[in-house]
């Protein structure tokens, strides 16, 4: 392979069957049955890209994470009634506007994942066209590739690309992007539910209504504070949530509408109704995994962790600080459980963590900067 050609590399955090098969395809080592199984997207199939990250390499190229879901939309609206019953909600009791939101936000939960689908990726400002590995049984396609830097302004924060799924008149394009993260700077890893968006996770019915039927409501002061943080050079945001990736379109609209800085999105993969609401351990495992990956991918960057007290964010973040001393600049926890910084819970969660490294915020308070512990 020539030095200037894009190449796929297997990264330890992205251990997925589709990546292994994809690497074999790109290297010409895939068995013939895998080649025969790969198919182009049909006209009624779609690809949803979740924004990942792109990082400069030592030789001046870009290493890019691609996260996609290939699916066929399901148009039978009767499924919404069944989904509502499963969630314990009555569509008849919702207002027309709330029913419309419910239909829109639940649409992807009815979609059918498509296995063995492939396409190419075209990157804006680059002549590179990169073939993808086949999607897995869950429709997921995760890969890590290295490309020559596209022609773009040095200040660009986003690498944009689109999927090419067929020739001529059958050409279908689905757009995606990856956040370009410099080697150094500040990365804010932020939870979403009850941290920047009012969800009421601890009340199941309110959580479901706030997620599927009501307008998303931003947490007071958080968008303005994040915009202030974003003014510092080379600051990047990474939004982390145990929400399923089917909610990505609605969450992306929320970030834009509430004027939060856009960033990479790290949502939980869920393909069935039964896994819509994760268990505490599933949520913890997902969040720890994402944080560990970001710390490993960006070893020279500083990190700020922002979460809330509704679930296990304090315990997760305390564990991260103890496991990676010196890597975390600060922690901010929004109080949604009526506990102040003297609560026994926080003494346990932040045991061994410097007191000046973390702070508890009232629900109406935006965080103040914390000086990095030395």
């Amino acid at each position: 392979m020539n030095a200037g050609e894009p190449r796929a590399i297997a990264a330890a955090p992205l251990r997925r069957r589709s990546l292994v098969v994809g690497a074999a395809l790109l290297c010409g080592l895939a068995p013939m049955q895998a080649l025969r199984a790969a198919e182009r997207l049909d006209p009624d199939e779609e690809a949803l890209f979740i924004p990942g990250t792109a990082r400069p390499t030592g030789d001046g190229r870009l290493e890019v994470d691609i996260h996609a879901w290939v699916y066929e939309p399901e148009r039978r609206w009767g499924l919404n009634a069944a989904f509502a019953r499963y969630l314990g909600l009555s569509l008849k009791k919702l207002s027309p506007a709330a029913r419309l939101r419910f239909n829109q936000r639940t649409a992807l939960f009815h979609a059918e994942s498509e296995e063995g689908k492939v396409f190419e990726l075209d990157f804006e400002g680059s002549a590179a066209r990169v073939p993808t590995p086949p999607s897995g049984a869950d429709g997921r396609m995760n890969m890590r590739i290295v490309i020559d830097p596209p022609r773009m302004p040095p200040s660009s924060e986003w690498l944009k690309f689109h999927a090419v799924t067929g020739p001529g008149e059958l050409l279908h394009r689905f757009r995606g992007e990856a956040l370009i993260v410099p080697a150094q700077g500040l990365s804010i890893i932020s939870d979403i539910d009850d941290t920047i968006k009012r969800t009421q996770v601890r009340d199941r019915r309110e959580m479901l209504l706030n997620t599927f039927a009501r307008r998303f409501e931003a947490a007071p002061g958080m968008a303005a504070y994040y915009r202030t943080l974003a003014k510092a050079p080379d600051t990047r945001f990474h939004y982390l949530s145990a929400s399923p990736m089917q909610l990505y379109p609605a969450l992306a609209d929320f970030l834009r509408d509430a004027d939060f800085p856009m960033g990479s999105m790290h949502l939980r993969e869920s393909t069935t109704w039964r896994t819509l609401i994760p268990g505490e351990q599933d949520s913890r495992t997902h969040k720890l995994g994402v944080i560990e990956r970001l710390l490993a991918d960006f070893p020279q960057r500083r990190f700020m962790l922002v979460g809330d007290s509704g679930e296990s964010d304090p315990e997760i973040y305390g564990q991260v600080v103890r496991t990676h001393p010196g890597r975390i600049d600060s922690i901010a926890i929004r109080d949604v459980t009526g506990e102040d910084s003297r609560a026994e819970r926080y003494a346990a969660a932040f045991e061994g963590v410097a007191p000046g490294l973390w702070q508890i915020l009232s629900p109406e308070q935006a965080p103040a900067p914390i000086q990095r512990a030395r």
Side-chain angles (χ1 to χ4, degrees), residues 89-95 99:
L89 300 177
S90 172
L91 293 182
K92 293 181 179 180
K93 294 182 180 180
L94 298 179
S95 68
R99 281 198 300 272

Side-chain angles (χ1 to χ4, degrees), residues 44 54 75-76 82 86 103 138 157 177 190 219 272 294 327 343 362:
D44 58 350
R75 307 298 184 187
R76 291 184 296 158
Y86 172 77
N103 291 339
D138 56 2
E157 294 187 7
E177 56 187 358
S190 173
T272 69
L294 290 170
R327 296 296 312 279
S362 73

Side-chain angles (χ1 to χ4, degrees), residues 63-368:
E63 184 179 86
V64 188
D65 285 342
I66 305 293
H67 305 282
W69 176 37
V70 182
Y71 64 93
E72 180 181 346
E74 176 56 70
R75 307 298 184 187
R76 291 184 296 158
W77 292 107
L79 290 175
N80 278 344
F83 192 23
R85 287 194 298 271
Y86 172 77
L87 297 177
L89 300 177
S90 172
L91 293 182
K92 293 181 179 180
K93 294 182 180 180
L94 298 179
S95 68
R99 281 198 300 272
L100 178 60
R101 290 190 203 101
F102 184 90
N103 291 339
Q104 292 172 337
R105 293 179 188 171
T106 60
L108 290 180
F109 290 93
H110 309 322
E112 181 179 353
S113 298
E114 295 296 330
E115 182 178 8
K117 298 295 181 174
V118 296
F119 42 79
E120 286 86 40
L121 298 177
D122 273 359
F123 293 86
E124 292 186 10
S126 171
R129 175 170 287 191
V130 182
T132 66
S135 56
D138 56 2
R140 302 304 194 263
M141 181 187 294
N142 291 342
M143 62 186 295
R144 179 169 287 190
I145 60 175
V146 176
I147 63 171
D148 288 330
R151 296 182 298 276
M152 61 174 60
S155 60
S156 297
E157 294 187 7
W158 291 95
L159 174 66
K160 298 182 182 296
F161 57 87
H162 59 259
V164 178
T165 64
E169 295 182 357
L170 297 178
L171 182 69
H172 300 287
R173 295 173 184 263
F174 302 101
R175 298 191 175 276
E177 56 187 358
L179 179 68
I180 300 175
V181 182
Q184 297 182 339
L186 176 66
S187 278
I188 294 95
I189 300 179
S190 173
D191 179 52
I192 295 178
D193 292 309
D194 290 326
T195 298
I196 64 171
K197 180 175 76 67
R198 182 177 179 270
T199 306
Q200 296 179 273
V201 170
R202 300 173 73 239
D203 184 322
R204 177 186 169 94
R205 176 173 172 77
E206 287 298 300
M207 176 192 70
L208 293 173
L209 289 171
N210 288 329
T211 299
F212 292 109
R214 295 171 177 160
R215 292 182 181 275
F216 288 163
E217 180 181 334
M222 296 300 289
Y225 179 69
Y226 279 22
R227 291 196 300 273
T228 299
L229 287 175
K231 294 178 181 178
D234 296 332
T235 297
R236 297 293 187 269
F237 289 81
H238 312 280
Y239 294 101
L240 169 61
S241 174
S243 294
M245 66 185 297
Q246 286 91 336
L247 288 174
Y248 165 68
L251 291 173
D253 287 344
F254 161 73
L255 292 176
R256 283 189 290 267
D257 293 345
D259 206 15
F260 281 94
M262 301 305 288
S264 61
M265 295 284 284
H266 307 270
L267 306 178
R268 187 173 51 89
E269 295 189 1
S270 171
T271 55
T272 69
W273 295 1
R274 295 183 182 276
T275 58
L276 171 63
I277 302 175
E280 181 177 347
Q281 188 57 45
D282 292 333
S283 177
R284 186 186 186 100
T285 298
H286 168 70
K287 290 185 175 182
L288 277 172
V290 170
I291 295 172
E292 291 284 348
R293 182 184 302 172
L294 290 170
L295 289 170
D297 283 343
F298 305 105
Q300 299 180 59
R301 290 185 68 81
R302 298 148 36 226
F303 285 83
M304 177 181 184
L305 308 179
V306 188
D308 64 86
S309 64
E311 296 183 282
S312 300
D313 289 345
E315 290 75 17
I316 292 171
Y317 294 170
Q319 178 179 335
V320 170
V321 173
R322 289 187 291 271
T323 305
H324 301 277
R327 296 296 312 279
I328 308 302
D329 266 24
S330 60
I331 296 172
I333 302 294
R334 289 190 72 245
D335 170 39
V336 295
T337 55
E339 301 166 284
D340 62 24
S341 60
R342 296 166 294 182
E344 292 183 5
R345 173 192 184 180
Y346 295 127
F350 297 123
E351 182 179 3
V353 178
L357 194 70
W358 58 277
Q359 62 175 320
I360 307 302
L361 314 171
S362 73
E364 305 302 319
Q365 173 190 0

